[in-house]
């Protein structure tokens, strides 16, 4: 057990780190299994945070708070720079129908009619469900739209979550700390970000807190404002987890839920929160549901044939 201190020198830092009703600190306590104590100095309008817990957990929480402070000052600096800049250098306009231009200059387009409907739903609604087989662009297009919204300053950050379902190996037997254990589960969303941003820009965005990738369980107790929030592989979320996730959406945020209901890894007696959500929320007009088919697969041509072959086999058996 160790103790580390973080000094917050003004009210702006205090408000940004503590969050509404100290909600950020409570989230850190749950995520890293530590205790955080606050001591305010009203005379200097400063505060001291005392972190107590296991060495590695306290170090990670201390680093997370440092990253939050750096992200706050980075965004503040960018805002001031934009306000003071008289000449604005802009990227060339996107081609008609394109949603985003990657770091390499490649423009991202929806390639099928259903993908176009999906992109349109993302533009029109603050809550969108996209259901379909692997390779139909559910996650990739959502990430591209999120990055476009971030670039236009419509949101301040992107949050990507995934349910952690253990298949074959238990987390406790995998090597490394909790971050290293869950990284393989989050790798698919990292791959989409690498492709669109490049690994270096993605690393910078993560370190500055502008992009966050996390297990679904880490979303509990949070309110995400000014955020583009994506839940990937949502067929593996329970109904309780789905309700918890959907109610994290704060003001000026957009939520996207993607999944393939044919590939649930939940126990047989557990109902998928994705399937149940469609039944419960179908009468709310502000929530859009988009279905993608195997004809929308944009991976290797063999992927569509593989999906079709499995569907035929499952019908027979």
């Amino acid at each position: 057990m160790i103790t580390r201190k973080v000094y917050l020198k003004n009210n702006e830092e205090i408000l940004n780190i503590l969050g509404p009703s100290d909600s950020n600190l409570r989230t850190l306590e749950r995520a890293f299994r530590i205790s955080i104590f606050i001591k305010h100095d009203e005379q200097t309008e400063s505060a001291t945070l005392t972190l107590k817990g296991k060495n590695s957990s306290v170090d990670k929480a201390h680093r997370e708070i440092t990253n939050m402070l750096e992200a706050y000052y980075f965004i503040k600096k960018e805002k001031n720079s934009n306000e003071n800049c008289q000449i604005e250098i802009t990227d060339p306009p996107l081609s008609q129908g394109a949603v985003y231009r990657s770091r390499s200059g490649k423009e991202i387009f929806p390639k099928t009619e259903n993908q176009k409907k999906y992109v349109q739903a993302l533009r029109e609604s603050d809550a969108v469900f996209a259901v379909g087989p692997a390779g139909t662009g559910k996650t990739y297009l959502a990430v591209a739209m999120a990055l476009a919204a971030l670039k236009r300053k419509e949101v301040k950050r992107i949050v990507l979550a995934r349910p952690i379902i253990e298949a074959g190996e238990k987390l406790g037997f995998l090597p490394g700390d909790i971050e290293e254990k869950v990284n393989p589960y989050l790798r698919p969303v990292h791959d989409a970000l690498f492709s669109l941003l490049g690994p270096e820009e993605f690393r910078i965005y993560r370190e500055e807190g502008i992009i966050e990738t996390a297990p679904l369980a880490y979303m509990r107790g949070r309110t995400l404002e000014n955020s583009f929030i994506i839940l990937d592989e949502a067929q593996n979320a329970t109904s309780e987890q789905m309700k918890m996730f959907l109610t994290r959406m704060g003001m000026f945020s957009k939520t996207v839920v993607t999944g393939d209901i044919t590939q649930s890894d939940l126990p047989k007696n557990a109902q998928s929160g994705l399937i149940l959500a469609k039944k419960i929320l179908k009468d709310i007009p502000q929530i859009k549901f988009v279905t993608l088919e195997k004809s929308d697969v944009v991976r290797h041509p063999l992927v569509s044939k593989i999906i079709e072959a499995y569907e035929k086999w499952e019908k027979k058996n």
Side-chain angles (χ1 to χ4, degrees), residues 114-311:
N114 283 333
Q115 286 188 353
K116 290 175 183 177
K117 291 178 183 177
Y118 179 31
V119 168
Q120 190 62 29
L122 289 169
R123 286 177 173 145
E124 293 176 352
S125 177
D126 286 340
V128 177
F129 285 75
V131 177
T136 52
K138 303 183 300 295
T139 304
Y140 192 76
L141 285 172
V143 170
M145 291 289 285
L147 290 170
L150 184 67
K151 193 171 186 178
R152 293 191 299 266
K153 302 189 186 303
E154 294 172 2
V155 296
K156 291 183 178 179
R157 61 176 171 164
I158 298 170
V159 180
L160 303 106
R162 262 192 163 209
I164 299 300
I165 298 292
E166 297 171 351
E169 288 184 301
K170 296 293 185 182
L171 278 176
F173 290 98
L174 294 177
D177 58 23
I178 185 63
E179 185 175 349
E180 292 168 325
K181 290 175 190 289
V182 301
N183 267 344
Y185 294 88
L186 299 171
R187 186 70 201 188
V189 291
H190 289 181
D191 288 342
L193 288 161
F194 285 165
S195 173
L196 294 167
L197 283 174
E200 181 61 21
E201 193 168 0
F202 172 51
R203 181 189 65 79
I204 292 170
Y205 275 19
R206 282 196 74 190
E207 289 179 354
E208 291 168 352
I210 297 171
I211 289 178
E212 175 187 351
T213 58
L216 176 58
Y218 283 26
M219 297 295 103
R220 191 174 299 279
R222 302 178 64 182
T223 300
L224 302 171
E225 298 184 344
N226 298 293
S227 302
F228 199 115
I229 316 157
I230 301 171
L231 175 59
D232 191 38
E233 296 290 332
Q235 74 275 4
N236 291 328
T238 64
S239 58
E240 293 82 4
Q241 287 176 324
M242 181 62 73
K243 180 182 177 182
M244 178 271 291
F245 172 79
L246 293 173
T247 54
R248 298 309 93 203
M249 184 168 59
M251 297 298 293
F252 312 111
S253 288
K254 186 182 289 285
T255 295
V256 185
V257 177
T258 69
D260 178 1
I261 58 175
T262 68
Q263 294 195 22
S264 175
D265 295 318
L266 289 169
K268 290 183 179 180
N269 60 345
Q271 185 171 19
S272 170
L274 179 58
I275 296 173
L276 190 59
K278 190 170 183 179
K279 296 176 182 177
I280 294 172
L281 306 174
K282 60 182 176 61
D283 294 326
I284 301 177
Q286 294 88 345
I287 298 177
K288 304 294 184 184
F289 291 89
V290 180
T291 301
L292 297 147
E293 309 288 350
K294 58 179 179 286
S295 58
D296 298 304
V297 171
V298 291
R299 290 182 182 172
H300 193 286
L302 271 176
V303 174
S304 293
K305 296 183 181 296
I306 291 168
I307 293 170
E308 187 174 356
Y310 268 91
E311 286 178 349

Side-chain angles (χ1 to χ4, degrees), residues 52-110:
K52 291 186 178 181
K54 292 183 178 179
N55 294 25
S56 60
S57 298
V58 168
D59 287 341
K60 286 184 175 64
H62 187 275
R63 189 160 58 246
E64 181 68 20
I65 293 172
T66 302
N67 289 341
M68 290 165 68
L69 281 170
E70 289 176 354
Y72 162 68
Y73 281 110
F74 174 83
I75 293 170
K76 184 177 180 180
K77 180 181 177 182
E78 287 290 299
K79 183 179 178 181
N80 292 336
S81 175
N82 289 337
E83 289 174 351
N84 295 330
C85 184
Q86 295 180 347
I87 300 174
E88 186 177 353
I89 299 173
T90 59
D91 292 331
L94 291 170
S95 301
Q96 185 175 1
V99 299
Y100 184 73
R101 181 181 286 110
S102 73
R103 183 72 171 173
S104 63
K106 177 185 176 182
E107 290 186 317
I108 309 304
F109 294 86

